[in-house]
Structure formats: C-alpha cells, structure tokens
Amino acid sequence: MEPVIIVLIILVVLVFIALIKTIQVIPQASAAIVERFGRYTRTLNAGLNIVVPFIDTIRNRIDLREQVVPFPPQPVITQDNLVVNIDTVIYYQVTDARAATYEVASYIQAIEQLTVTTLRNIIGGMDLERTLTSREEINAALRGVLDEATGKWGIRVNRVELKAIEPPTSIQDSMEKQMRADRDKRAAILQAEGVRQSEILRAEGEKQSQILRAEGEAKAAALRAEGEAQAVRTVFEAIHAGDPDQKLLSYQYLQMLPKIAEGDANKLWIVPSEIGDALKGLSGAMGNFGGMGGGSGGNGGASAGAVPAQERREKPSID
C-alpha cells in the first residue's frame, strides 16, 4: 500500500503544478509574451489566461503604463566649442509588447544611447546662448527623432525634458558677473529715475507753493488796499460831514509834521511851502483863543493883549 500512496501523492503534486502553470493571471496594464518550444505564440492580456503546461512558457512580462526614466548628465559640445552637461528625462510607453521584446535587446539602453547621439547633433548646431534659451525647441526636436526611431520597437516617446544645462565653471562665473552688472545697471537706472521723479515732484510742489503764495499775497494786497480805500473814504466822509474850517486843517497839518521827520534815515527835512498858510491859520486861531481868554478876565498876558484894542477905541474920543 505504501508505494501506491506515494504514487498518488506524486500525481497530486504534478496535477497541482500543472494547474498552476495552466492558469496565468495578468495584472491590469500589463502583458505577457508566450512562447511554445522557444517560438512566439501569443501575447497574454490582463485577466485570467489558460496556457498549456510544460509546453507554453512565459517569456517576458511587460508594464504597459507610461514610464519615466532619467538619464545621467551627458557632455555635449556647442557650436562655439563649449562643453555643457545636460540632464534629460524621457517619458515613454510600450505600445507593442511583442516588438519591445523581439525587435530590440534592451529598449531602455537603446533609448538612452539614441537620446545622447540626437542631443549632440541638435546642440552642435547651437551656440551657448541659444542652447540656454531654447529648451522647448530642443525638447521638440529630440522628441520627434526619438518617437520616429522607437516606433518600430513598440515604444512611444510621449515627452522629453531637459532637467539641467550646466555650462563650464568659468562661463558660469562670467554669466554671474554679467547678470550682476545688469542688475546693478538696472538698479542705478531705477535710482536715477526715482531721483529725477522726486526732483520733478519737488519742483512742481515749490511751483505750486509759490503760485499759491503769490495768489495769497495778491489777495491780501487787494484786501489791504480795499481796506485802506474804505478807511480813506470813511475819513473823507466824516471830514465832510463835520464841515471842518481852515484852522482845524492847519492844526492837523502841524500834527503830521513830526511824523514826517521820524526815522534815522531822514537826514534832510524839506519844509513844504504850505506851512506858511498853516502857521497863519494857526496863529489866527491862537489869537482868537487869546481874545476869548482876555474877555473872561484872566491873566496879565491876556490883559496886555487887550490894551491895543482899548487904545484904538479911545482915539476918536481924544479928537
């Protein structure tokens, strides 16, 4: 009985192994290449698949999703004989699992070498300045060449990106100095523009201030003149309303003479011709005032002034 049990166990194990090799589960977005006796038979898609055990074998499992592969920096010579290091990133996707398996031995290595050679051809026709400022142009040209070359491999290149373009250290120092000089130049220009604008605004402010000050002084002078005119008009009206005589005017004229002579700068004082008329009028006023004082029986000076009048009255009686 023991040999029979051993045989049964062996058969069960073989059946289990056969079932495992017969049923193949392929994940989503993947594919598997099936070979029968070393020859391509078919491609297994995602899901549950049945193969012939011990006859069909899985050659390769390929991921059909988009892949991202960065390549190390590659030295490239520009048109002006400068060596720059360029990092590239390739976005690709396998569209045909059979071609990707049988048309090229290693499509990753093939894409890398094709990228390097194509990049050298493109950069070789550009100078450094154009290389640094034409990334989109380089990306588009590189993608076109790669997509055309990798189509027969069952690969579609979706995108090519240049991560970094590093010129030599001496060129970087020169570029930094140039950039610093440009920034200093722009800063100086902006500062000069600011000073110019400030001076213009200050001049405009002073101009407006002088205009406003002149307008204020003009208005003040006009108001002052109007006030003086009104004062003169009021005094004139008051004088005419009071009906002054020549004596009062002469007295006022004499009161103004000391004010005319005031000031240290007045070295010469010219007596106007009208002062004689004023003095005559004032003397007549003082004489009348003295006569009024003598009639009231005042002091001796008043009586002395009254004697000639008495003598003149007594002369006719003597005759």
Side-chain angles (χ1 to χ4, degrees):
M1 293 295 295
E2 292 181 359
V4 175
I5 295 173
I6 293 173
V7 172
L8 291 175
I9 292 173
I10 293 174
L11 290 175
V12 170
V13 171
L14 291 176
V15 170
F16 183 74
I17 294 173
L19 290 175
I20 292 176
K21 289 185 173 290
T22 301
I23 300 173
Q24 295 290 331
V25 178
I26 306 301
Q28 183 67 32
S30 297
I33 302 298
V34 179
E35 292 180 350
R36 180 172 294 177
F37 300 115
R39 184 178 180 181
Y40 171 76
T41 303
R42 59 196 174 103
T43 301
L44 300 182
N45 296 320
L48 184 63
N49 296 274
I50 304 288
V51 297
V52 179
F54 305 108
I55 296 177
D56 294 339
T57 57
I58 304 297
R59 165 71 184 272
N60 192 13
R61 295 177 183 267
I62 298 176
D63 193 347
L64 300 179
R65 295 174 297 179
E66 186 174 6
Q67 304 292 322
V68 181
V69 179
F71 295 143
Q74 298 294 331
V76 182
I77 301 176
T78 62
Q79 188 178 12
D80 46 358
N81 296 325
L82 293 175
V83 179
V84 294
N85 293 323
I86 300 179
D87 297 349
T88 56
V89 178
I90 303 296
Y91 295 81
Y92 73 94
Q93 187 176 8
V94 178
T95 58
D96 188 353
R98 178 182 176 278
T101 303
Y102 295 106
E103 296 295 334
V104 62
S106 175
Y107 55 83
I108 297 296
Q109 186 177 1
I111 291 174
E112 180 180 1
Q113 296 302 319
L114 183 61
T115 300
V116 172
T117 55
T118 305
L119 193 61
R120 287 176 178 173
N121 291 333
I122 296 173
I123 300 300
M126 298 182 177
D127 56 8
L128 179 61
E129 184 177 359
R130 184 181 174 189
T131 301
L132 295 175
T133 58
S134 303
R135 292 198 177 194
E136 293 296 331
E137 181 182 354
I138 297 172
N139 292 339
L142 189 59
R143 179 182 176 277
V145 174
L146 290 176
D147 196 17
E148 182 180 359
T150 58
K152 62 180 180 179
W153 300 338
I155 306 294
R156 182 177 69 245
V157 177
N158 296 326
R159 193 172 182 179
V160 181
E161 291 291 340
L162 301 182
K163 289 199 307 182
I165 301 176
E166 298 180 357
T169 305
S170 59
I171 301 299
Q172 291 183 7
D173 295 338
S174 300
M175 293 173 62
E176 290 179 358
K177 292 179 181 179
Q178 182 178 2
M179 293 175 60
R180 190 179 301 111
D182 291 338
R183 286 195 297 267
D184 295 340
K185 177 182 177 181
R186 288 195 298 268
I189 291 174
L190 292 176
Q191 185 177 1
E193 288 291 336
V195 172
R196 174 176 173 271
Q197 191 67 24
S198 175
E199 293 295 334
I200 291 174
L201 293 177
R202 186 179 297 109
E204 289 291 337
E206 292 178 356
K207 176 182 177 182
Q208 293 294 331
S209 176
Q210 292 177 0
I211 291 174
L212 293 176
R213 189 180 299 110
E215 290 179 354
E217 292 177 354
K219 290 181 180 179
L223 293 175
R224 191 180 304 110
E226 184 179 355
E228 292 177 355
Q230 185 65 30
V232 171
R233 191 180 300 112
T234 303
V235 173
F236 183 77
E237 292 176 355
I239 291 174
H240 280 274
D243 193 14
D245 55 359
Q246 183 65 29
K247 300 176 181 180
L248 178 60
L249 294 177
S250 300
Y251 179 72
Q252 293 292 332
Y253 187 80
L254 290 176
Q255 284 185 337
M256 290 301 296
L257 290 178
K259 294 183 179 180
I260 296 175
E262 288 180 355
D264 297 335
N266 295 331
K267 303 299 183 180
L268 180 63
W269 184 31
I270 300 174
V271 179
S273 61
E274 290 83 358
I275 192 171
D277 297 336
L279 292 175
K280 290 178 181 180
L282 182 61
S283 62
M286 293 300 293
N288 292 335
F289 180 74
M292 291 175 61
S296 60
N299 50 31
S303 59
V307 171
Q310 184 177 2
E311 291 178 354
R312 285 194 301 268
R313 286 194 304 264
E314 291 176 354
K315 285 180 179 182
S317 58
I318 296 174
D319 294 334

